[in-house]
Amino acid sequence: MSDDEHSDMTEPAGVRLAREIRRRRTEAGLSQPQLARKIGYTRQYVSLAERAGHNLPSAEVVRALDHALGTGGALMALREEGRNEQKRLRQQYGRAANEQQKNLLDDVADVRDAGSRARIEFHSDDTAVTMSTGDAAPSA
């Protein structure tokens, strides 16, 4: 197996889609503005579609590129693969976040059961939760 074949298998489908759009466009001898005119979109849409690491282009844009570049559905198949990868990652992230929240609640219950005061902080990329347990008023 060559290095290129190995990298194709390990790279996300969105990266492979962007690379394939650019490769097919250059093989067809088209500039981004020329391809954009051909599919009825702006050059910026074509440019974004060729950028790896960004959001997947819309199905409509990929369908138009697929038709204009004569890929016989190959670009749409890569886009669909990319969508499936996104769904799997979101599900995995959701499960991990739920597990973190469950662990936090278990920790709070343990502290309450012990009858002690504690301040527990939970941070994730998009959430911060601070909880205090114990008596509401400070002891004298």
Side-chain angles (χ1 to χ4, degrees):
M1 181 181 298
S2 73
D3 287 342
D4 287 343
E5 288 171 330
H6 186 272
S7 70
D8 281 351
M9 293 174 61
T10 60
E11 284 183 332
V15 171
R16 289 182 283 134
L17 173 62
R19 187 182 312 117
E20 187 65 9
I21 291 169
R22 177 171 290 181
R23 186 182 73 76
R24 296 283 186 135
R25 176 183 60 78
T26 55
E27 277 183 2
L30 297 170
S31 66
Q32 286 182 347
Q34 289 168 328
L35 179 56
R37 281 191 297 278
K38 192 171 182 175
I39 65 171
Y41 285 87
T42 65
R43 181 202 59 80
Q44 288 82 359
Y45 274 91
V46 174
S47 175
L48 286 172
E50 291 182 354
R51 280 192 211 159
H54 292 279
N55 289 333
L56 288 172
S58 71
E60 293 78 18
V61 169
V62 175
R63 196 173 292 111
L65 289 165
D66 214 354
H67 179 73
L69 296 171
T71 67
L75 297 179
M76 284 300 293
L78 277 172
R79 185 187 184 281
E80 185 61 26
E81 189 180 334
R83 289 290 295 150
N84 290 336
E85 285 175 1
Q86 285 179 336
K87 288 177 187 176
R88 279 192 305 275
L89 287 172
R90 287 179 183 143
Q91 288 172 346
Q92 288 171 355
Y93 177 76
R95 281 192 295 271
N98 288 340
E99 186 63 26
Q100 285 178 327
Q101 290 170 351
K102 180 187 173 299
N103 290 340
L104 172 66
L105 293 174
D106 289 345
D107 290 346
V108 169
D110 290 345
V111 169
R112 280 197 188 130
D113 290 345
S116 59
R117 293 181 53 94
R119 178 183 164 110
I120 299 172
E121 295 187 19
F122 167 78
H123 298 275
S124 70
D125 292 341
D126 56 359
T127 306
V129 176
T130 302
M131 301 177 76
S132 294
T133 64
D135 298 328
S139 56

